[in-house]
Each structure stands twice: as C-alpha cells, then as structure tokens.
Amino acid sequence: PGVNTPDKSIDPFNKTLPSLNGSVGFAWNPTSWNLKTNVGTGFRSGNLAELSSDGLHEGTLRYEVGDPDLKIEQNINSEISINYTSRYFQFSVAGYLNHFLNYIYLTPTGTQYLGFDVFRYEQFDANLYGSESMLAVNFPFYERLRFETNFSIVTGKLSDGTYLPFIPPAKWTQQLQ
C-alpha cells in the first residue's frame, strides 16, 4: 500500500490487534507520609479516525488523513509520588515517564488541500514525561480558609528528539477558599 493522500481514498480493511499487559506497584505509609511507585504496560489500537480519516475535520478546520496500516501503540510507564498530610499542611509531588513504541500522533504535512492544512496520523517511538505538585495550607486561625497551589507539566518527544505536536503547556493554578 502507498501513502494515503487527500486525493486517494482509503480502502476497506479488517484488523485484529492482540496485546498483553501488566502492572506492579508499591506503597509505603509511615506516619503522615505516603510514598508510591508503579511500573506498568499498556496498549491501544488506533481509533476509527486514526485508521480511516480522509476528509475535513470541521471542528478544527483541517483535512485529516488516516492510516489503516497503523500498528498497536504499546507503552511502558513508571511513576513515583510522595505525599505529606497534616492538619494544617498538605504537600505532594509526582513524576512520571511513559515510553511508547509506535506512538500514534497527528502531525501537519505542510501541504494544503482545498484550502485546508493537511494533517496525517503517523507512528514513531516517543516519550511523554512530566510532573505535578500540590501545596495546600489550612490556616489555624480560621480552619475554613485554605490556600492551594498546583503545578503540572508534560513534555512529549519522539525518539529522534522532535517535540510532539498538541502537547498542552505547563499549568499553574492558585486557589483561596
């Protein structure tokens, strides 16, 4: 099969994509502290849009082209988190790494069709990694008053070092309630 382009229709297809997965984790809770770690695997097959798109996506005003030859997306993930909780103070920090084989993603082609930018579903090995943290203070002079701040960031890169498209920016929020 050749490369799917906007001027070439995707033929009907049938796919069977088996996979095996597992997970193992550890948690330790001494006093007010909580330490957790986890390693696991996961998979997903391409969805209908990723496999067979061949047209305008009205919600984004782009022309998307699928690929019925996509393989299973398999990942190995790991995470570690540390939490502390007391009456007036809470703190947590977590970090994670997801390594993907055959990561499915939508990428611009740099071309247009009928005036719309053309995007194609592709696969490549990739890493998604990031962290999130939270700090909360309950004020002792007025226990119903609470300040909380949260920060999260994720980075996505293909194994050749290219950044993945459509990764959200870092997010930092504060709340006083």
PDB file of all heavy atoms in Angstrom, residues 40-61:
ATOM      1  N   GLY A  40       4.206  -0.222  34.823  1.00  0.00           N
ATOM      2  CA  GLY A  40       3.191  -0.997  34.123  1.00  0.00           C
ATOM      3  C   GLY A  40       3.326  -0.867  32.624  1.00  0.00           C
ATOM      4  O   GLY A  40       4.168  -0.132  32.111  1.00  0.00           O
ATOM      5  N   THR A  41       2.483  -1.598  31.949  1.00  0.00           N
ATOM      6  CA  THR A  41       2.434  -1.526  30.495  1.00  0.00           C
ATOM      7  C   THR A  41       1.005  -1.243  30.075  1.00  0.00           C
ATOM      8  O   THR A  41       0.064  -1.461  30.834  1.00  0.00           O
ATOM      9  CB  THR A  41       2.894  -2.846  29.840  1.00  0.00           C
ATOM     10  OG1 THR A  41       1.995  -3.885  30.238  1.00  0.00           O
ATOM     11  CG2 THR A  41       4.315  -3.193  30.239  1.00  0.00           C
ATOM     12  N   GLY A  42       0.846  -0.773  28.890  1.00  0.00           N
ATOM     13  CA  GLY A  42      -0.474  -0.515  28.340  1.00  0.00           C
ATOM     14  C   GLY A  42      -0.404  -0.555  26.834  1.00  0.00           C
ATOM     15  O   GLY A  42       0.664  -0.589  26.243  1.00  0.00           O
ATOM     16  N   PHE A  43      -1.572  -0.592  26.229  1.00  0.00           N
ATOM     17  CA  PHE A  43      -1.617  -0.568  24.774  1.00  0.00           C
ATOM     18  C   PHE A  43      -2.935   0.041  24.333  1.00  0.00           C
ATOM     19  O   PHE A  43      -3.881   0.150  25.093  1.00  0.00           O
ATOM     20  CB  PHE A  43      -1.487  -1.979  24.190  1.00  0.00           C
ATOM     21  CG  PHE A  43      -2.797  -2.711  24.100  1.00  0.00           C
ATOM     22  CD1 PHE A  43      -3.480  -2.791  22.897  1.00  0.00           C
ATOM     23  CD2 PHE A  43      -3.361  -3.309  25.215  1.00  0.00           C
ATOM     24  CE1 PHE A  43      -4.692  -3.455  22.819  1.00  0.00           C
ATOM     25  CE2 PHE A  43      -4.566  -3.971  25.140  1.00  0.00           C
ATOM     26  CZ  PHE A  43      -5.239  -4.049  23.940  1.00  0.00           C
ATOM     27  N   ARG A  44      -2.953   0.441  23.099  1.00  0.00           N
ATOM     28  CA  ARG A  44      -4.198   0.826  22.449  1.00  0.00           C
ATOM     29  C   ARG A  44      -4.014   0.664  20.953  1.00  0.00           C
ATOM     30  O   ARG A  44      -2.907   0.836  20.412  1.00  0.00           O
ATOM     31  CB  ARG A  44      -4.624   2.240  22.819  1.00  0.00           C
ATOM     32  CG  ARG A  44      -3.870   3.340  22.142  1.00  0.00           C
ATOM     33  CD  ARG A  44      -4.438   4.722  22.495  1.00  0.00           C
ATOM     34  NE  ARG A  44      -3.885   5.723  21.622  1.00  0.00           N
ATOM     35  CZ  ARG A  44      -4.413   6.099  20.468  1.00  0.00           C
ATOM     36  NH1 ARG A  44      -5.526   5.551  20.041  1.00  0.00           N
ATOM     37  NH2 ARG A  44      -3.839   7.020  19.724  1.00  0.00           N
ATOM     38  N   SER A  45      -5.093   0.330  20.307  1.00  0.00           N
ATOM     39  CA  SER A  45      -5.064   0.289  18.848  1.00  0.00           C
ATOM     40  C   SER A  45      -5.559   1.636  18.343  1.00  0.00           C
ATOM     41  O   SER A  45      -6.176   2.406  19.080  1.00  0.00           O
ATOM     42  CB  SER A  45      -5.952  -0.850  18.337  1.00  0.00           C
ATOM     43  OG  SER A  45      -7.278  -0.657  18.775  1.00  0.00           O
ATOM     44  N   GLY A  46      -5.287   1.913  17.110  1.00  0.00           N
ATOM     45  CA  GLY A  46      -5.753   3.164  16.529  1.00  0.00           C
ATOM     46  C   GLY A  46      -7.276   3.204  16.494  1.00  0.00           C
ATOM     47  O   GLY A  46      -7.926   2.180  16.269  1.00  0.00           O
ATOM     48  N   ASN A  47      -7.835   4.382  16.725  1.00  0.00           N
ATOM     49  CA  ASN A  47      -9.294   4.505  16.647  1.00  0.00           C
ATOM     50  C   ASN A  47      -9.710   4.700  15.194  1.00  0.00           C
ATOM     51  O   ASN A  47      -8.878   4.789  14.284  1.00  0.00           O
ATOM     52  CB  ASN A  47      -9.805   5.619  17.575  1.00  0.00           C
ATOM     53  CG  ASN A  47      -9.311   6.983  17.176  1.00  0.00           C
ATOM     54  OD1 ASN A  47      -9.206   7.318  16.000  1.00  0.00           O
ATOM     55  ND2 ASN A  47      -8.997   7.803  18.165  1.00  0.00           N
ATOM     56  N   LEU A  48     -11.011   4.769  14.975  1.00  0.00           N
ATOM     57  CA  LEU A  48     -11.531   4.852  13.617  1.00  0.00           C
ATOM     58  C   LEU A  48     -10.984   6.065  12.862  1.00  0.00           C
ATOM     59  O   LEU A  48     -10.624   5.965  11.687  1.00  0.00           O
ATOM     60  CB  LEU A  48     -13.064   4.883  13.652  1.00  0.00           C
ATOM     61  CG  LEU A  48     -13.770   4.745  12.319  1.00  0.00           C
ATOM     62  CD1 LEU A  48     -13.376   3.444  11.619  1.00  0.00           C
ATOM     63  CD2 LEU A  48     -15.273   4.797  12.510  1.00  0.00           C
ATOM     64  N   ALA A  49     -10.893   7.217  13.523  1.00  0.00           N
ATOM     65  CA  ALA A  49     -10.363   8.419  12.859  1.00  0.00           C
ATOM     66  C   ALA A  49      -8.902   8.226  12.479  1.00  0.00           C
ATOM     67  O   ALA A  49      -8.481   8.602  11.376  1.00  0.00           O
ATOM     68  CB  ALA A  49     -10.514   9.635  13.764  1.00  0.00           C
ATOM     69  N   GLU A  50      -8.105   7.646  13.378  1.00  0.00           N
ATOM     70  CA  GLU A  50      -6.676   7.458  13.106  1.00  0.00           C
ATOM     71  C   GLU A  50      -6.448   6.463  11.979  1.00  0.00           C
ATOM     72  O   GLU A  50      -5.489   6.592  11.217  1.00  0.00           O
ATOM     73  CB  GLU A  50      -5.970   6.989  14.376  1.00  0.00           C
ATOM     74  CG  GLU A  50      -5.977   8.038  15.463  1.00  0.00           C
ATOM     75  CD  GLU A  50      -5.645   7.500  16.841  1.00  0.00           C
ATOM     76  OE1 GLU A  50      -5.756   6.278  17.081  1.00  0.00           O
ATOM     77  OE2 GLU A  50      -5.289   8.315  17.708  1.00  0.00           O
ATOM     78  N   LEU A  51      -7.315   5.485  11.868  1.00  0.00           N
ATOM     79  CA  LEU A  51      -7.157   4.448  10.844  1.00  0.00           C
ATOM     80  C   LEU A  51      -7.753   4.835   9.490  1.00  0.00           C
ATOM     81  O   LEU A  51      -7.215   4.456   8.454  1.00  0.00           O
ATOM     82  CB  LEU A  51      -7.793   3.140  11.315  1.00  0.00           C
ATOM     83  CG  LEU A  51      -7.173   2.493  12.548  1.00  0.00           C
ATOM     84  CD1 LEU A  51      -8.046   1.347  13.038  1.00  0.00           C
ATOM     85  CD2 LEU A  51      -5.763   2.016  12.258  1.00  0.00           C
ATOM     86  N   SER A  52      -8.855   5.579   9.502  1.00  0.00           N
ATOM     87  CA  SER A  52      -9.573   5.735   8.232  1.00  0.00           C
ATOM     88  C   SER A  52      -9.994   7.159   7.867  1.00  0.00           C
ATOM     89  O   SER A  52     -10.744   7.333   6.918  1.00  0.00           O
ATOM     90  CB  SER A  52     -10.819   4.847   8.252  1.00  0.00           C
ATOM     91  OG  SER A  52     -11.715   5.273   9.257  1.00  0.00           O
ATOM     92  N   SER A  53      -9.530   8.168   8.580  1.00  0.00           N
ATOM     93  CA  SER A  53      -9.903   9.540   8.203  1.00  0.00           C
ATOM     94  C   SER A  53      -9.471   9.839   6.781  1.00  0.00           C
ATOM     95  O   SER A  53      -8.405   9.424   6.330  1.00  0.00           O
ATOM     96  CB  SER A  53      -9.223  10.562   9.123  1.00  0.00           C
ATOM     97  OG  SER A  53      -9.844  10.601  10.363  1.00  0.00           O
ATOM     98  N   ASP A  54     -10.307  10.565   6.092  1.00  0.00           N
ATOM     99  CA  ASP A  54      -9.968  11.051   4.765  1.00  0.00           C
ATOM    100  C   ASP A  54     -10.903  12.205   4.444  1.00  0.00           C
ATOM    101  O   ASP A  54     -11.776  12.109   3.602  1.00  0.00           O
ATOM    102  CB  ASP A  54     -10.101   9.953   3.715  1.00  0.00           C
ATOM    103  CG  ASP A  54      -9.633  10.427   2.336  1.00  0.00           C
ATOM    104  OD1 ASP A  54      -8.882  11.418   2.269  1.00  0.00           O
ATOM    105  OD2 ASP A  54     -10.027   9.808   1.339  1.00  0.00           O
ATOM    106  N   GLY A  55     -10.744  13.297   5.206  1.00  0.00           N
ATOM    107  CA  GLY A  55     -11.623  14.418   4.958  1.00  0.00           C
ATOM    108  C   GLY A  55     -11.439  15.543   5.952  1.00  0.00           C
ATOM    109  O   GLY A  55     -10.593  15.493   6.841  1.00  0.00           O
ATOM    110  N   LEU A  56     -12.297  16.534   5.786  1.00  0.00           N
ATOM    111  CA  LEU A  56     -12.246  17.730   6.610  1.00  0.00           C
ATOM    112  C   LEU A  56     -12.763  17.434   8.010  1.00  0.00           C
ATOM    113  O   LEU A  56     -13.805  16.814   8.176  1.00  0.00           O
ATOM    114  CB  LEU A  56     -13.106  18.826   5.965  1.00  0.00           C
ATOM    115  CG  LEU A  56     -13.161  20.167   6.686  1.00  0.00           C
ATOM    116  CD1 LEU A  56     -11.781  20.807   6.764  1.00  0.00           C
ATOM    117  CD2 LEU A  56     -14.149  21.086   5.988  1.00  0.00           C
ATOM    118  N   HIS A  57     -12.016  17.863   9.015  1.00  0.00           N
ATOM    119  CA  HIS A  57     -12.462  17.813  10.412  1.00  0.00           C
ATOM    120  C   HIS A  57     -13.006  19.200  10.705  1.00  0.00           C
ATOM    121  O   HIS A  57     -12.247  20.151  10.904  1.00  0.00           O
ATOM    122  CB  HIS A  57     -11.290  17.468  11.330  1.00  0.00           C
ATOM    123  CG  HIS A  57     -11.672  17.257  12.753  1.00  0.00           C
ATOM    124  ND1 HIS A  57     -12.159  18.271  13.551  1.00  0.00           N
ATOM    125  CD2 HIS A  57     -11.642  16.150  13.521  1.00  0.00           C
ATOM    126  CE1 HIS A  57     -12.404  17.805  14.747  1.00  0.00           C
ATOM    127  NE2 HIS A  57     -12.106  16.511  14.759  1.00  0.00           N
ATOM    128  N   GLU A  58     -14.334  19.316  10.722  1.00  0.00           N
ATOM    129  CA  GLU A  58     -14.971  20.629  10.811  1.00  0.00           C
ATOM    130  C   GLU A  58     -14.650  21.349  12.112  1.00  0.00           C
ATOM    131  O   GLU A  58     -14.617  22.571  12.155  1.00  0.00           O
ATOM    132  CB  GLU A  58     -16.492  20.505  10.646  1.00  0.00           C
ATOM    133  CG  GLU A  58     -16.929  20.139   9.249  1.00  0.00           C
ATOM    134  CD  GLU A  58     -16.884  18.643   8.974  1.00  0.00           C
ATOM    135  OE1 GLU A  58     -16.561  17.860   9.895  1.00  0.00           O
ATOM    136  OE2 GLU A  58     -17.141  18.241   7.829  1.00  0.00           O
ATOM    137  N   GLY A  59     -14.431  20.611  13.199  1.00  0.00           N
ATOM    138  CA  GLY A  59     -14.156  21.243  14.485  1.00  0.00           C
ATOM    139  C   GLY A  59     -12.811  21.944  14.535  1.00  0.00           C
ATOM    140  O   GLY A  59     -12.613  22.854  15.338  1.00  0.00           O
ATOM    141  N   THR A  60     -11.877  21.542  13.702  1.00  0.00           N
ATOM    142  CA  THR A  60     -10.536  22.133  13.729  1.00  0.00           C
ATOM    143  C   THR A  60     -10.153  22.783  12.404  1.00  0.00           C
ATOM    144  O   THR A  60      -9.066  23.351  12.294  1.00  0.00           O
ATOM    145  CB  THR A  60      -9.488  21.047  14.052  1.00  0.00           C
ATOM    146  OG1 THR A  60      -9.567  20.020  13.057  1.00  0.00           O
ATOM    147  CG2 THR A  60      -9.723  20.457  15.428  1.00  0.00           C
ATOM    148  N   LEU A  61     -11.027  22.671  11.398  1.00  0.00           N
ATOM    149  CA  LEU A  61     -10.771  23.224  10.065  1.00  0.00           C
ATOM    150  C   LEU A  61      -9.430  22.752   9.496  1.00  0.00           C
ATOM    151  O   LEU A  61      -8.617  23.524   9.018  1.00  0.00           O
ATOM    152  CB  LEU A  61     -10.845  24.753  10.077  1.00  0.00           C
ATOM    153  CG  LEU A  61     -12.216  25.329  10.408  1.00  0.00           C
ATOM    154  CD1 LEU A  61     -12.164  26.846  10.459  1.00  0.00           C
ATOM    155  CD2 LEU A  61     -13.251  24.856   9.397  1.00  0.00           C
TER     156      LEU A  61
END
